[in-house]
Amino acid sequence: MQVSLKFDDFYLPNGLRVILHEDHSTPIVAVNLWYHVGSKNESSGRTGFAHLFEHLMFEGSLHHDREYFAPLQEAGANVNGSTNTDRTNYYEVVPSNFLELALWLESDRMGYLLDAMTPEKLDNQREVVKNEKRQRYDNVPYGLVGEQIAEQMYPPAHPYSWLTIGSMADLTAASLDDVKNFFRVFYVPNNASLVVAGDFDSAEARQLIEKYFATLPAGAEIVRPNPPAPHLEKAIRSEMPDVVALPRVYLSWHTVPEYHEDEAALDFLASILSSGRGSRLQQKLIFNQQIAQDVYASHFCREIAGQFQIVSTSKPNTAPAEIEKVIQAEIEQIKLELPSPEEMERALNTREAAYIYSLQTVLGKADQLNNYATMRGNPNFFEQDLERFRQVTPADVQRVANEYLTDNKLALTVLPKDIRDATAPTTGLISNGTGSIAETKQVGNNKHQLVHNENLGGLFVPPPPKPDPKLVLPEINRRFLSNGLEVLLVRRGQLPLVSLNLIFKTGAAANPLEKFGLSSMTAGLLNQGTKTRSAIEISNELQKIGAQLGTGAGWDSASVSLLTLTKNLERGLDIFADVAINPVFPEPELETQRRRLLVALLQQKDNPNAVAANAYNRLLYGKNHPYGNSLVGDEETLGELSREDLQNFYQTFYRPNNAALIVVGDVEPEAILARLENALAGWQPAEILQVVLPDAPPREKSAIYLIDKPGSAQSVITIGQIGVERRTPDYFALQVMNSLLGGQFTSRINMNLREDKGYTYGARTGFEYRQGAAPFAAATSVNSSVTREAISEILKELNEIRSSRPITETELEYNKQSLVRRYPANFETAGQISGQLAGVVIYDLPDSYFNDYAANIAGVTVADANRVAQKYLETEKMAILVVGDRQTIEPKLREIRNIELNFLNTEGELVNS
């Protein structure tokens, strides 16, 4: 299997590397800009700057001194950025007619960001980053472990001894000049690589890039940190208390930098230890001894150092030391005996296939080209990269296990602590960094400013788009097998892969209330044993061909899906069909799954977001409505499920006349139909029991419901009500209305709570869509100290859109354009096309739905949007759910007038105050 991409590669005189890759399969284009700077380029007392710029770069530049998302979201773009230890990237995936706009905006913030930077912008984004830290680290189970590992694995002077998000104390102390100096050094053309991938003309794109980027001045040569390879002189054992239900063990070893000759063998070692049901650690810890809830081995390499890590969560009443002992025994075993040829085959084929899968999108290809260009100096490293893994031998895996997985490791154990225990782990502040800004300030005299020259023409004016490109929707070829199964075929041959998605038109809404979780358990056990294959055999056979098989159930449907390389379709289809039509629901697998789910439910109580999600459903619907329960059930209902229940549910609903098979990819319709007819022979139709949903209970008034999560760094807020069913005639009007209310970054609620107030990392609204009326919610996580204020602002926005500040024509047109223009990006990959078609199958939408989408959105009027806001946002009857530290937030919640305050337990049931 050969992997390569055609592209043009050149440099501008200022040092900017440019890579152009044309792909005309979908009328979209990715603009992907990598700066070779990450948190390792920071220094003690000045951490978090690279990540801070990931935020500041969206706050406006000299010639576009306003919200960066605004013009791109109107264009229907997918816009974001990310930062790690070694690089920062910014990307826009836009309709192809907006390529010039994306290039103009990127060039302006590269050349003129500092001209528009103000203390107010810096302060605002500082608060946003602090909210991100609370949301992603402080307020999630085990969230502070990474900080502890970084501190203990690396000496204080090492650039990897602090997290990418940095120290909040450092961000607070940073001055505007500190931040500007960092930018002047690193955000320069000669420290960047620009990839444009997608539907464009290379000659035209080159002219645009030269127009907008060639005039930007190069910076001074970058001095990069190059510390000695880190190593541990001895074993380190430490414990860390956290508000969690279960202990977790983290074992970490130093390894090698990215692209080192031993990287591939270490990756194989991680795969052999824990990837898949048949892997050594999963088999021992989870399924045989059943002492661990999960186990993961991973090897992650960075530019100047790598790390091998094994993580495992204990089952209740299991000592972490017992798990560590089993892990160590498996490591010693592989040091003594070579891995088997089958283990090597599974590791290699899984990696090769995943490599192809990652190239399905123009953004995925752009990222890979940029990775190779930045870290290897060669964008065309595809085949060499894979060849490294093809050359790995069993002896190589054994050798790296002996060389790197020594006794000198960090063994960190997270232990549950009392929820009112004031003891907290250290924050991981560091000192004496290397590669400091102080060392580079001397070369930071480039002011990043240009003299405005009239001869540059429209360089400083936002370019208009070209006419919208035409989206050629995939042709749907509908057929039927002899057993009545409908097959929807879409030919797509850009990559040698095929997606199969078997949709059953019944989901969790069919569960008896006393056996909730039945649908999910049935779907989850489909791949855990058939008439001819065990669970381990299914997993191992899939890995041998690099195929990905998934089973699952939602409210309205269940599915069996397969993604495979075309060359392995026959073998993959055999496993896929066997799982779909021959499951036996082995009793031992049922008991194992039941035990794991019960532990997972216990773990959910550690996570305030999971608690909020479950409690919100119960609040709206009550326990006597299917939607008021968890998809996976609860402790009581899971205990009631029997093998006979699963078999009966399967026999009742998993029938060809209650299903449709969606096939997308590199296949010819006639050839695949013949294969399907053979593979699904013997699967017969039957009468299908119709599911009737009960009416949801009405709400009479608004009320606040508080779930106490002592010590929470944030409050998780969910405000809303029961909304509408998928078949509502107001669907398109609701899409437009919600988009401007809280459906995207520039929405009213997000701009208020994040950009104006700095209360949150993000706030959104959304309608779920199901066969029955599903929830509407406005949701966010905020600093505990502003819980009351955030609730008031959300309610204000919900009230104003239906009263004092109705939707305007300008807002309407902006959001209609955004929805229509982003639509083509939903048809880029086989999986996306399959997902779109699944909606057609489940909700019985017309075949013309995709072709009519743009016209239906365009037809929404201001009157329509304001009408649905009035009709469906009943603010006087909304539930206001808060999961947070009661001790901190209750006094202020009581200040909210005319809304009663209630208290719930973690299951969403009312309790005494």
Side-chain angles (χ1 to χ4, degrees):
M1 180 176 65
Q2 298 290 315
V3 180
S4 63
L5 295 177
K6 294 182 179 179
F7 60 87
D8 294 327
D9 180 20
F10 61 93
Y11 287 88
L12 296 184
N14 57 15
L16 177 68
R17 186 170 201 162
V18 180
I19 302 160
L20 305 176
H21 165 67
E22 292 188 37
D23 174 356
H24 301 284
S25 57
T26 308
I28 58 175
V29 60
V31 173
N32 187 286
L33 183 62
W34 278 38
Y35 291 97
H36 196 172
V37 57
S39 57
K40 80 169 185 301
N41 301 97
E42 299 159 356
S43 64
S44 174
R46 294 291 186 272
T47 65
F49 283 21
H51 175 260
L52 179 63
F53 270 106
E54 184 195 318
H55 289 254
L56 290 170
M57 290 279 260
F58 290 94
E59 292 305 296
S61 49
L62 180 60
H63 307 106
H64 180 76
D65 192 10
R66 53 195 181 278
E67 183 57 58
Y68 188 86
F69 284 93
L72 288 166
Q73 287 195 168
E74 185 178 19
N78 172 19
V79 187
N80 216 326
S82 67
T83 313
N84 64 27
T85 53
D86 302 318
R87 64 99 187 106
T88 302
N89 79 326
Y90 301 93
Y91 63 83
E92 304 84 25
V93 181
V94 296
S96 51
N97 57 318
F98 282 91
L99 171 61
E100 186 172 3
L101 174 65
L103 292 170
W104 176 75
L105 287 165
E106 282 291 2
S107 70
D108 204 62
R109 61 182 179 181
M110 177 185 282
Y112 304 101
L113 183 82
L114 299 188
D115 302 84
M117 189 178 293
T118 65
E120 291 75 20
K121 288 181 181 179
L122 175 59
D123 290 342
N124 175 270
Q125 292 307 304
R126 251 196 284 246
E127 291 307 308
V128 171
V129 171
K130 290 178 181 179
N131 282 316
E132 180 181 0
K133 169 72 161 50
R134 296 182 189 105
Q135 182 172 322
R136 291 188 169 180
Y137 296 85
D138 301 347
N139 212 39
V140 297
Y142 313 101
L144 296 174
V145 171
E147 193 170 40
Q148 288 289 296
I149 290 175
E151 286 185 2
Q152 296 183 49
M153 286 292 288
Y154 298 95
H158 196 281
Y160 292 162
S161 64
W162 53 84
L163 296 183
T164 298
I165 201 165
S167 156
M168 298 303 100
D170 289 355
L171 288 178
T172 300
S175 69
L176 190 61
D177 283 344
D178 291 333
V179 174
K180 285 186 173 183
N181 285 335
F182 188 85
F183 184 89
R184 290 187 180 109
V185 173
F186 295 109
Y187 295 80
V188 290
N190 50 304
N191 196 41
S193 175
L194 172 66
V195 174
V196 180
D199 181 36
F200 67 96
D201 176 76
S202 289
E204 181 184 6
R206 181 165 186 158
Q207 291 177 350
L208 292 173
I209 290 166
E210 290 173 345
K211 173 183 177 181
Y212 291 121
F213 288 91
T215 56
L216 303 181
E221 183 178 352
I222 307 295
V223 179
R224 305 192 189 280
N226 186 28
H231 66 280
L232 298 178
E233 299 287 351
K234 61 180 181 179
I236 300 174
R237 307 197 70 84
S238 63
E239 294 180 349
M240 172 183 164
D242 198 1
V243 184
V244 294
L246 300 175
R248 182 176 286 178
V249 175
Y250 294 79
L251 305 176
S252 300
W253 294 263
H254 287 301
T255 59
V256 297
E258 191 174 19
Y259 298 109
H260 185 279
E261 60 185 10
D262 286 340
E263 180 186 11
L266 284 160
D267 286 354
F268 268 46
L269 176 59
S271 180
I272 289 167
L273 284 174
S274 79
S275 179
R277 169 69 186 267
S279 64
R280 299 186 177 197
L281 290 178
Q282 280 205 38
Q283 195 58 25
K284 280 284 180 68
L285 288 169
I286 297 174
F287 297 102
N288 288 351
Q289 298 186 27
Q290 298 194 9
I291 59 175
Q293 177 71 357
D294 53 51
V295 61
Y296 308 97
S298 61
H299 181 232
F300 50 98
C301 289
R302 294 178 281 185
E303 191 170 13
I304 57 177
Q307 200 170 313
F308 196 99
Q309 190 170 88
I310 301 176
V311 182
S312 183
T313 308
S314 300
K315 279 285 187 70
N317 304 314
T318 299
E322 188 177 351
I323 289 177
E324 186 179 343
K325 182 178 178 181
V326 175
I327 293 173
Q328 194 59 49
E330 287 303 315
I331 292 172
E332 295 307 315
Q333 185 69 23
I334 209 166
K335 288 180 178 180
L336 296 173
E337 296 181 11
L338 295 174
S340 69
E342 183 184 348
E343 287 177 311
M344 297 294 292
E345 180 186 19
R346 298 203 309 260
L348 176 60
N349 289 344
T350 298
R351 175 167 287 275
E352 281 193 339
Y355 206 85
I356 296 294
Y357 302 152
S358 71
L359 300 179
Q360 293 185 78
T361 67
V362 291
L363 182 59
K365 289 186 281 190
D367 254 343
Q368 195 60 70
L369 287 164
N370 244 336
N371 185 312
Y372 289 149
T374 303
M375 301 303 172
R376 295 299 298 168
N378 176 16
N380 195 25
F381 196 68
F382 292 92
E383 193 59 28
Q384 299 98 306
D385 198 6
L386 274 177
E387 189 61 28
R388 298 187 301 148
F389 293 92
R390 295 175 181 140
Q391 296 301 318
V392 174
T393 67
D396 291 329
V397 176
Q398 185 181 64
R399 175 182 57 79
V400 296
N402 278 287
E403 183 172 348
Y404 297 103
L405 271 58
T406 67
D407 291 338
N408 291 348
K409 64 178 181 292
L410 169 64
L412 172 64
T413 303
V414 178
L415 296 172
K417 71 173 179 178
D418 185 88
I419 57 177
R420 285 297 181 189
D421 185 354
T423 304
T426 57
T427 59
L429 299 181
I430 50 82
S431 59
N432 301 322
T434 59
S436 68
I437 301 305
E439 296 171 356
T440 53
K441 279 183 179 177
Q442 296 176 7
V443 297
N445 294 324
N446 167 22
K447 297 299 183 184
H448 252 260
Q449 296 175 349
L450 300 179
V451 177
H452 290 211
N453 189 327
E454 292 180 1
N455 294 329
L456 294 177
L459 184 62
F460 305 117
V461 179
K466 294 181 176 181
D468 287 340
K470 180 175 176 55
L471 171 63
V472 179
L473 291 166
E475 180 183 355
I476 305 170
N477 191 337
R478 286 182 181 263
R479 303 288 189 89
F480 286 89
L481 301 186
S482 60
N483 62 6
L485 177 68
E486 186 176 22
V487 182
L488 287 73
L489 298 158
V490 175
R491 175 84 169 89
R492 191 173 180 86
Q494 283 78 14
L495 288 171
L497 54 84
V498 181
S499 166
L500 304 177
N501 193 10
L502 182 60
I503 303 294
F504 298 95
K505 302 176 187 180
T506 304
N511 289 333
L513 290 176
E514 70 278 7
K515 293 184 178 181
F516 224 84
L518 175 58
S519 174
S520 293
M521 184 72 84
T522 302
L525 285 176
L526 291 174
N527 62 350
Q528 296 303 300
T530 68
K531 295 175 182 177
T532 58
R533 290 178 171 95
S534 69
I536 295 176
E537 288 170 335
I538 292 169
S539 176
N540 288 350
E541 287 184 41
L542 288 165
Q543 285 189 308
K544 282 182 184 179
I545 60 173
Q548 299 175 357
L549 186 142
T551 64
W555 290 107
D556 299 324
S557 65
S559 66
V560 181
S561 62
L562 178 79
L563 182 64
T564 181
L565 299 180
T566 306
K567 67 177 183 179
N568 296 325
L569 176 59
E570 191 161 345
R571 294 168 67 186
L573 178 58
D574 181 56
I575 304 168
F576 172 83
D578 194 29
V579 164
I581 68 175
N582 296 313
V584 294
F585 308 105
E587 191 75 46
E589 300 295 344
L590 169 59
E591 292 307 317
T592 296
Q593 186 77 342
R594 191 198 317 270
R595 284 191 290 266
R596 296 190 72 194
L597 281 172
L598 289 170
V599 175
L601 291 176
L602 179 65
Q603 289 181 287
Q604 280 188 0
K605 296 177 182 179
D606 296 339
N607 190 323
N609 292 288
V611 170
N614 289 330
Y616 187 64
N617 289 335
R618 179 60 57 89
L619 261 181
L620 295 189
Y621 295 95
K623 64 181 180 180
N624 293 322
H625 190 285
Y627 292 172
N629 295 273
S630 167
L631 280 169
V632 299
D634 58 30
E635 290 88 343
E636 182 178 351
T637 61
L638 285 175
E640 296 296 318
L641 298 182
S642 67
R643 180 170 180 261
E644 184 180 7
D645 292 328
L646 273 62
Q647 290 174 317
N648 289 339
F649 192 90
Y650 176 84
Q651 292 295 335
T652 302
F653 296 110
Y654 283 66
R655 295 288 186 171
N657 55 318
N658 192 41
L661 176 60
I662 301 166
V663 182
V664 184
D666 182 28
V667 289
E668 295 296 336
E670 297 304 325
I672 189 64
L673 283 168
R675 289 180 175 181
L676 290 172
E677 192 71 59
N678 180 63
L680 299 174
W683 187 31
Q684 296 302 315
E687 184 177 352
I688 304 299
L689 180 68
Q690 296 302 306
V691 177
V692 179
L693 282 167
D695 292 333
R699 286 192 63 82
E700 300 299 328
K701 61 180 180 179
S702 292
I704 299 173
Y705 301 88
L706 174 59
I707 297 176
D708 188 17
K709 191 72 172 64
S712 288
Q714 286 189 313
S715 294
V716 177
I717 300 171
T718 310
I719 301 176
Q721 64 192 66
I722 295 172
V724 297
E725 62 183 29
R726 175 59 183 85
R727 292 192 184 93
T728 175
D730 288 327
Y731 175 80
F732 294 102
L734 285 167
Q735 292 289 91
V736 176
M737 185 275 289
N738 183 72
S739 177
L740 64 92
L741 173 64
Q744 57 182 331
F745 188 92
T746 57
S747 64
R748 289 185 179 187
I749 282 181
N750 191 62
M751 296 303 288
N752 181 340
L753 269 70
R754 172 175 160 143
E755 296 300 290
D756 183 30
K757 304 296 190 306
Y759 289 165
T760 181
Y761 181 52
R764 293 291 188 271
T765 64
F767 287 85
E768 288 189 51
Y769 294 101
R770 304 174 189 165
Q771 295 284 15
F776 162 80
T780 189
S781 294
V782 301
N783 188 351
S784 299
S785 63
V786 295
T787 303
R788 179 191 61 118
E789 291 82 356
I791 291 172
S792 297
E793 290 299 322
I794 294 172
L795 291 175
K796 183 190 77 157
E797 293 290 350
L798 293 172
N799 278 309
E800 285 184 350
I801 198 171
R802 57 200 299 266
S803 58
S804 61
R805 193 158 65 101
I807 297 164
T808 66
E809 190 71 43
T810 300
E811 284 181 303
L812 182 84
E813 289 305 314
Y814 175 95
N815 284 275
K816 285 163 59 172
Q817 291 294 337
S818 177
L819 290 168
V820 169
R821 287 166 173 165
R822 78 173 65 155
Y823 199 57
N826 293 320
F827 298 88
E828 189 177 7
T829 71
Q832 287 175 315
I833 294 171
S834 178
Q836 293 291 327
L837 289 174
V840 169
V841 167
I842 296 166
Y843 300 111
D844 196 26
L845 302 176
D847 278 2
S848 61
Y849 174 79
F850 301 125
N851 286 310
D852 294 343
Y853 179 87
N856 283 324
I857 291 292
V860 175
T861 66
V862 168
D864 293 331
N866 283 314
R867 176 181 57 79
V868 295
Q870 286 275 353
K871 182 176 181 180
Y872 297 111
L873 300 178
E874 299 179 278
T875 50
E876 67 279 1
K877 296 181 181 180
M878 287 188 174
I880 302 166
L881 176 65
V882 183
V883 181
D885 187 343
R886 175 178 176 177
Q887 186 173 304
T888 302
I889 64 181
E890 180 184 354
K892 283 195 170 184
L893 289 181
R894 292 194 177 276
E895 296 175 5
I896 299 178
R897 300 176 60 185
N898 302 321
I899 303 181
E900 67 179 29
L901 176 61
N902 303 282
F903 299 91
L904 306 178
N905 60 21
T906 53
E907 283 72 40
E909 298 168 340
L910 284 168
V911 295
N912 295 329
S913 60

